[in-house]
Amino acid sequence: MHSEWNKRRRNPWIWPLLAVFIIALATAGCGSAKDQGEPFKVGVVPAQNKGDMQHAMDRLEKVLSHKLHRPVEIQVYSDYQGVVEAMKYKKMDMAFFGPLTFVQAAEKMDLKAVVTQLIHGSPYYHSYIIVPKDSPIRSIDDLAKNSTQLHFAFGDINSTSGSLIPGIALTKKGVFKNPNDHRFKKITYTGSHDITALAIQHHKYDAGAIDSAIYEQLVKDGKVDGKKIRVIWKSEKLFQYPWAVRSDVDEATVKKLQEAFLSVKDPAILEVFGASGFTKAANRDYESIRKAAKAAGRLEMK
């Protein structure tokens, strides 16, 4: 024993090294996410009820944080424009946009679409126009013919399926140009797809526009009674909502984000989007929406 002690006395540098080693062992794996850098911030448009969205996003935060090895904060905004403003002023690194909102925002700032959701394995959805099941309105032509007697509901004014696409269809029928120039008895912007569906079910409005995937998920979850609603019009297929990053987000982070989203299997996360999974996306996937927005006068060019 005295021999071992003498060896340590002859090598005093051993003690500092041992101390560093012990501290490293004690702290390894014990650091919190807050020790791993600034939060990666994500903004989300209100596809459904804000409370339902936030619960799902709390779970998504954990998935993304684990993959990025840094804290992630996801905020659900009350309207589409709030997300655009947050990205514009660099309060967010990533955002979940509606397709129209994305192409509008991409005209003002450098954004890159990186992922989107899959619906039954496909990255497409539709705009629906729905009416109460007992409505005499059977088609979009019936809707146009009787427009002066009808109260029509759009979703958020910046929604693709809840505003832009059905608005274009109604413009072609000669009954709608903009919120102040139309031939309906009245129009309302509800702000979200679930509000529109419930309002139609309860006869608050005579007809309304809605995202097909969200509508079908609301019916599946029992939040809306599909037996009390009828679809009278369906648009051409639309590429699903993009999750986009600012151009200054590095490629390594983008790759980790894509890997994280593609790994999501949690029903609580998927169902709030009516999704079956996620897939990669690119700006070119939204070119048809950009052209439609430009034709409708909804795009401010650079």
Side-chain angles (χ1 to χ4, degrees):
M1 183 172 180
H2 291 294
S3 175
E4 180 64 26
W5 171 251
N6 288 334
K7 286 181 182 178
R8 292 181 181 178
R9 290 184 63 190
R10 287 197 300 271
N11 298 284
W13 51 267
I14 290 176
W15 294 105
L17 286 177
L18 282 173
V20 171
F21 181 66
I22 290 170
I23 291 171
L25 284 176
T27 59
C30 297
S32 67
K34 293 182 179 178
D35 299 325
Q36 298 168 4
E38 289 297 313
F40 185 84
K41 296 185 177 182
V42 183
V44 176
V45 296
Q48 287 200 50
N49 173 276
K50 191 173 180 180
D52 293 339
M53 288 289 292
Q54 192 60 62
H55 172 70
M57 294 306 94
D58 290 343
R59 299 174 74 92
L60 181 60
E61 277 184 358
K62 296 177 181 179
V63 175
L64 299 183
S65 181
H66 176 74
K67 193 67 179 180
L68 295 181
H69 303 294
R70 63 186 286 192
V72 173
E73 295 177 0
I74 303 179
Q75 180 177 349
V76 180
Y77 281 73
S78 59
D79 58 57
Y80 285 48
Q81 195 57 36
V83 178
V84 175
E85 291 299 306
M87 287 291 275
K88 179 179 179 181
Y89 293 105
K90 297 189 175 183
K91 294 180 181 179
M92 295 290 160
D93 303 293
M94 183 182 199
F96 173 61
F97 291 107
L100 171 60
T101 313
F102 170 68
V103 298
Q104 288 174 326
E107 289 296 320
K108 302 174 183 178
M109 63 192 96
D110 290 329
L111 298 176
K112 179 180 179 181
V114 293
V115 292
T116 191
Q117 50 267 27
L118 293 168
I119 308 298
H120 304 304
S122 172
Y124 298 101
Y125 72 119
H126 302 270
S127 172
Y128 283 168
I129 291 179
I130 57 175
V131 298
K133 188 65 177 284
D134 58 2
S135 170
I137 303 300
R138 312 294 299 186
S139 67
I140 193 170
D141 288 328
D142 282 348
L143 186 71
K145 187 183 301 182
N146 296 280
S147 62
T148 57
Q149 304 170 46
L150 304 175
H151 187 169
F152 190 87
F154 290 104
D156 188 288
I157 196 167
N158 292 309
S159 169
T160 306
S161 57
S163 178
L164 173 66
I165 300 302
I168 290 173
L170 293 170
T171 296
K172 291 178 179 178
K173 295 296 179 181
V175 295
F176 178 82
K177 288 185 179 179
N178 59 58
N180 300 311
D181 187 359
H182 59 83
R183 292 183 57 195
F184 287 99
K185 178 180 179 180
K186 186 177 181 180
I187 64 169
T188 294
Y189 287 87
T190 68
S192 73
H193 299 289
D194 55 338
I195 293 174
T196 299
L198 285 169
I200 295 297
Q201 176 178 319
H202 296 296
H203 293 80
K204 185 173 181 179
Y205 310 119
D206 299 300
I210 193 170
D211 176 310
S212 64
I214 292 176
Y215 170 71
E216 289 162 9
Q217 189 65 48
L218 288 169
V219 172
K220 180 181 177 182
D221 292 343
K223 295 178 180 179
V224 169
D225 187 346
K227 295 180 180 179
K228 295 181 178 180
I229 295 173
R230 179 162 24 89
V231 177
I232 63 165
W233 177 82
K234 176 180 176 181
S235 73
E236 296 295 323
K237 65 182 183 181
L238 309 168
F239 205 81
Q240 268 290 349
Y241 296 41
W243 295 77
V245 297
R246 295 200 322 263
S247 60
D248 56 356
V249 173
D250 63 273
E251 284 302 315
T253 298
V254 168
K255 184 176 180 181
K256 290 177 183 177
L257 286 167
Q258 290 175 325
E259 291 173 351
F261 274 96
L262 268 61
S263 73
V264 171
K265 304 296 181 186
D266 186 344
I269 297 172
L270 295 174
E271 288 177 5
V272 79
F273 303 109
S276 56
F278 291 92
T279 190
K280 293 180 181 179
N283 288 25
R284 63 179 177 274
D285 295 320
Y286 301 93
E287 183 58 22
S288 63
I289 298 297
R290 194 188 74 81
K291 289 179 178 177
K294 184 179 178 181
R298 302 285 298 273
L299 198 62
E300 294 180 19
M301 306 304 290
K302 291 180 180 178

